[in-house]
Amino acid sequence: MAYTNNSAQEKRLNVIYGDVTLGIHGTAYGKEFHYIFSRATGGMESLSVQGREWLYRTPRPAFWRAVTDNDRGNKFPLRSGMWLAADMFISCVESRIRIDGEDILLPVGPENNKYSGDETAENVEVIFTYETITDPKTQVRISYLVDSDGEIKVSVHYYGQQGLPELPVFGFRMVMPTCADKYVYEGLSGETYPDRMAGGVEGVYEISGLPVTPYLVPQDCGMHMNTKNLTVFRSTELDNTHKEKQMTSLRFELDGLAFSCLPYTASELENATHMEELPPARRTVLCVYGAVRGVGGIDSWGSDVEPAYHVSGEKDISYSFRICLQ
């Protein structure tokens, strides 16, 4: 299959077929973007806008949030601890692409030699399927649909499986190379959870840095429910060829989803028993969630979260959001 070069036509994506990667290049809103999807790493490997990289690691499904005092009190981690392992270790079992709606396998050498490097498309969808190490196993599908404006629609689907325990969260985790200077979101004020939203006031809020709530024992924090949009700002990067700092931003249209933006992964928070045991903050860990378990708080000595705020591991969960250049 070959695609005719049409450089004279505006709003086209340039598609580059590597040995184990698929590259997408274009320009929109005066910004040049380069995206790379990899069969080897099992996901999106690079998200570069105006020469600034936004990915430190390939994004992965998120199944775990660091346990809270209430979780420990009602022994939730003992019932659902396998999701911590699934959060840390997961296998990509399939990768496919759709070029303008036509489904093909992600080419590998020498098959990719038939492409010239001048192929274009109006839209490209790259789909990765993951298998968990839980017992029983289940799968997660993450789709990246890139349009000619450089916008990426990320669709995430969890396949419920009978016999799996309740989930702490289900989401999409994206680790950025350096700490964000700030983030701005439109949604509810303060830290909110499904069963702790009554005090949230709708508005636009700017959060400096990546604050971590200084609990005696580090635990989950920084959750924001019912968020319309989020913009992350960074002035630092790992590319030392760029001599001057430059503030860059990336916008996420969340349409009512939840997110957290912290300098640590859930496993890093989980591994520390005191704040001083946390490692120096180096990255930005953005998680966009399709489902979040409540935190409870009826007491810390055994009462479970109210039934309405549980997340079943036996039911499908599906959601989507958009990454925008504007």
Side-chain angles (χ1 to χ4, degrees):
M1 182 187 304
Y3 297 91
T4 303
N5 181 27
N6 193 0
S7 58
Q9 186 174 351
E10 294 182 358
K11 298 288 186 180
R12 300 282 291 186
L13 298 168
N14 184 223
V15 185
I16 303 98
Y17 298 90
D19 283 341
V20 292
T21 60
L22 180 80
I24 299 173
H25 166 249
T27 302
Y29 310 109
K31 297 179 180 180
E32 188 175 20
F33 57 88
H34 295 263
Y35 308 147
I36 299 175
F37 299 89
S38 170
R39 178 195 295 270
T41 62
M44 192 176 193
E45 193 171 63
S46 176
L47 196 170
S48 176
V49 181
Q50 291 292 83
R52 264 60 183 182
E53 179 60 64
W54 282 89
L55 288 182
Y56 181 69
R57 290 285 185 265
T58 298
R60 285 287 187 265
F63 302 106
W64 194 257
R65 60 162 172 78
V67 297
T68 65
D69 288 338
N70 293 319
D71 291 330
R72 296 185 187 97
N74 62 52
K75 295 182 170 42
F76 174 73
L78 300 181
R79 301 193 300 274
S80 295
M82 69 171 68
W83 289 119
L84 174 58
D87 189 86
M88 296 178 66
F89 306 105
I90 195 166
S91 173
C92 181
V93 295
E94 184 184 53
S95 53
R96 303 190 69 86
I97 62 173
R98 292 191 182 116
I99 306 294
D100 291 336
E102 186 172 351
D103 198 350
I104 65 173
L105 288 171
L106 184 60
V108 296
E111 181 187 357
N112 61 323
N113 291 336
K114 66 184 179 182
Y115 298 102
S116 68
D118 294 325
E119 286 77 19
T120 65
E122 291 183 7
N123 62 75
V124 178
E125 184 177 15
V126 190
I127 306 161
F128 298 94
T129 302
Y130 304 88
E131 187 173 79
T132 66
I133 62 171
T134 53
D135 184 15
K137 296 179 179 180
T138 191
Q139 291 189 335
V140 173
R141 186 190 69 234
I142 298 181
S143 159
Y144 302 86
L145 177 60
V146 184
D147 68 16
S148 57
D149 286 332
E151 179 178 293
I152 307 171
K153 180 181 180 182
V154 182
S155 299
V156 189
H157 189 97
Y158 165 84
Y159 293 90
Q161 184 68 254
Q162 290 296 312
L164 285 174
E166 294 174 4
L167 286 151
V169 293
F170 174 65
F172 172 95
R173 182 175 58 248
M174 173 180 174
V175 181
M176 300 174 185
T178 58
C179 287
D181 294 72
K182 65 179 181 179
Y183 60 90
V184 177
Y185 73 95
E186 183 177 3
L188 298 176
S189 61
E191 182 178 277
T192 51
Y193 286 83
D195 53 354
R196 291 291 182 271
M197 294 195 298
V201 179
E202 290 191 4
V204 177
Y205 299 96
E206 179 175 317
I207 309 298
S208 297
L210 299 170
V212 176
T213 306
Y215 294 113
L216 180 63
V217 177
Q219 53 194 282
D220 191 64
C221 60
M223 188 70 70
H224 300 281
M225 304 296 298
N226 291 2
T227 306
K228 295 179 181 178
N229 56 70
L230 162 72
T231 304
V232 180
F233 295 83
R234 291 170 49 232
S235 62
T236 57
E237 56 184 320
L238 296 183
D239 187 347
N240 59 16
T241 64
H242 295 159
K243 301 302 182 183
E244 296 182 3
K245 284 188 177 182
Q246 178 181 340
M247 186 69 77
T248 57
S249 64
L250 198 62
R251 182 178 175 87
F252 300 81
E253 294 290 340
L254 302 185
D255 300 327
L257 295 173
F259 82 93
S260 65
C261 195
L262 298 168
Y264 304 115
T265 63
S267 59
E268 287 174 320
L269 288 170
E270 197 72 74
N271 197 48
T273 57
H274 295 87
M275 292 297 292
E276 65 269 19
E277 294 175 5
L278 289 169
R282 295 187 177 93
R283 318 286 175 222
T284 301
V285 182
L286 172 64
C287 294
V288 178
Y289 298 107
V292 179
R293 176 181 168 88
V295 291
I298 300 168
D299 59 54
S300 294
W301 301 274
S303 294
D304 200 355
V305 173
E306 292 287 338
Y309 306 114
H310 290 212
V311 180
S312 173
E314 299 182 332
K315 296 180 180 179
D316 284 22
I317 303 170
S318 186
Y319 70 99
S320 63
F321 63 95
R322 297 181 301 283
I323 304 174
C324 309
L325 303 187
Q326 286 181 294

